[in-house]
Amino acid sequence: MELLEQLVDFVNSLLWDHVLIFLLCGTGIYFTVRLGFVQVRHFGTGVKELFGGMSLKGKKADKSGMSSFQAVATAIAGQVGTGNLAGPATAILAGGPGAIFWMWVSSFLGMSTIYAEAILAQKFKTKDKNGQAVGGPAYYIEQGLKCKWLACVFAVLIIFALGFIGNMVQSNAIASAFNSSLGVPTWVMGVVMAVVAGVVVIGGIRSIASFSEKVVPVMACLYLIGAFAILAINYEYVLPAFESIFVAAFNPQAVVGGGVGIGIQQAMRFGIARGLFANEAGMGSTPHAHAVARVSRPEQQGFIAMMGVFVVCLIVTLTALVIITSGMKEWDAAGRVGDSFLSIFRGQGITVTQQAYVYIFGQFGSLFISASLFFFAFTTIIGWYYYAENNVRYLFQSVSAVRIYQLMVICFIFAASLFKVDLVWKMADMFNGLMVLPNLAALLLLSPIVIGVGKAAGFGSGVPDAELESGR
């Protein structure tokens, strides 16, 4: 086990600290430039597409697919997980407040990358032999690149990365949070999650779409209300928090002090890495949801896909501001001089976020984060299950295989609540990183298709958003 952990650590260091940061950012820069800054020029279109189709009870999904809003809700369900609560805390402690600036940069670039993913997902979507609408990287790798073996490699990687290992991590995080805040036995939460997840996933695409469109908007709104409430209480520290983010992005020592030892490279590394991990742009996960959206033109789903990254960035930003402002307020109250406000926080990840809420709301703050974590992580379980299911269908073309996979996922969800999963966390990072590689290869090699769709839609020609929406 020790040898395995060392191997996993080595692969993760190589992937996430070096290779993927450059590949993902480079891909984002490439599509941003080639698509004429689509995330800026057509941001308004994306907002209109998102809110225009928003519904808590839209048209029922079926084998032909789901509505555009159901698709983005399912995508956001997968994107908004424990990383959105723990990620900003980890980035701030490791890279200083300036890491948040670089998280914004990665989100900005990621919006163009995820647009490209959604376009290819729509262009190469198909139906399996049972008539179920399917799509995603495995399909555009096989059909677009004519590379069956690489498509199969991606499918196997995502099944392990998200369907099994990733969902174990999310389940364990929920069980641990409720055990620490309310004393609920971890096995009890394991049973609850397994039963609820089983009801949702066995119901197929219809119940997954219905679950996502109802839970995701409510979940996001409640968390935003809680975050805004704290920022209202900490109002005098909001502007200093923004100042610390911008200053520390280029001069960390001016904010955290020379003794902390955080440099610009460290701020960039942790900010970009955590940002890319949070919004999943380029990872090849969200295209599975965007592929089955019922839209008249691929660019429609591309615009709304960008909004998924924006929503994730908003949640991450508010979490970061809550942490920074609460830290500054507690630091001032303690009358500390010559010390960084980061020294206020103890622990890592989600415990830091909990501390920030406890400083303001007391025990209720801990319960609020536990409840938020439950909804964030559980919706991620559903989203990730759906992504992996698409690849089970791709590999086996069998309903029986899907049923077996469903039962295995339910068992994994329960089992994960019973033990520590430090190594599993690291393995999830490794498989996530590995599945990025074939997806990015496909995105770049098939980029002429994405750019062609952009030109057909009028990118670079000054066509107003209103005309794009009307299809003219």
Side-chain angles (χ1 to χ4, degrees), residues 199-377:
V199 171
V200 176
V201 304
I202 291 176
I205 188 173
R206 178 176 296 183
S207 63
I208 291 172
S210 177
F211 173 86
S212 298
E213 73 175 346
K214 291 177 176 63
V215 175
V216 169
V218 174
M219 168 190 77
C221 287
L222 289 177
Y223 184 75
L224 294 179
I225 290 172
F228 278 122
I230 285 190
L231 294 181
I233 295 172
N234 295 346
Y235 71 93
E236 60 186 308
Y237 295 96
V238 173
L239 288 180
F242 274 108
E243 181 182 3
S244 72
I245 290 172
F246 284 104
V247 171
F250 304 99
N251 184 15
Q253 305 311 320
V255 175
V256 300
V260 180
I262 294 175
I264 296 176
Q265 184 179 5
Q266 204 168 354
M268 290 179 65
R269 170 190 165 192
F270 284 97
I272 292 174
R274 295 298 175 222
L276 293 171
F277 189 79
N279 61 51
E280 298 186 25
M283 289 180 63
S285 51
T286 59
H288 299 92
H290 296 302
V292 298
R294 294 186 294 251
V295 291
S296 58
R297 302 184 316 282
E299 65 268 19
Q300 285 180 286
Q301 198 59 30
F303 294 145
I304 201 170
M306 295 191 305
M307 294 301 100
V309 174
F310 179 76
V311 170
V312 170
C313 182
L314 178 61
I315 292 174
V316 166
T317 299
L318 289 174
T319 302
L321 289 174
V322 165
I323 293 170
I324 295 172
T325 58
S326 295
M328 287 179 169
K329 186 171 186 175
E330 189 71 11
W331 182 68
D332 278 357
R336 303 196 179 198
V337 179
D339 194 8
S340 170
F341 73 89
L342 298 181
S343 64
I344 288 289
F345 299 108
R346 296 289 181 268
Q348 291 290 327
I350 193 67
T351 59
V352 171
T353 307
Q354 280 185 314
Q355 282 184 54
Y357 276 81
V358 169
Y359 285 151
I360 307 302
F361 289 149
Q363 184 59 27
F364 174 77
S366 179
L367 296 177
F368 179 81
I369 290 299
S370 295
S372 298
L373 180 65
F374 175 82
F375 285 108
F376 278 35

Side-chain angles (χ1 to χ4, degrees), residues 36-71:
F37 287 81
V38 61
Q39 65 269 62
V40 177
R41 295 191 55 202
H42 298 291
F43 182 83
T45 305
V47 172
K48 292 175 184 176
E49 292 281 358
L50 177 64
F51 289 100
M54 183 177 287
S55 171
L56 296 183
K57 192 175 182 181
K59 182 180 178 181
K60 287 186 177 180
D62 53 33
K63 286 187 175 182
S64 66
M66 57 180 76
S67 72
S68 184
F69 178 73
Q70 289 169 336

Side-chain angles (χ1 to χ4, degrees), residues 186-205:
T186 56
W187 70 267
V188 172
M189 288 306 300
V191 170
V192 171
M193 287 185 290
V195 170
V196 178
V199 171
V200 176
V201 304
I202 291 176
I205 188 173

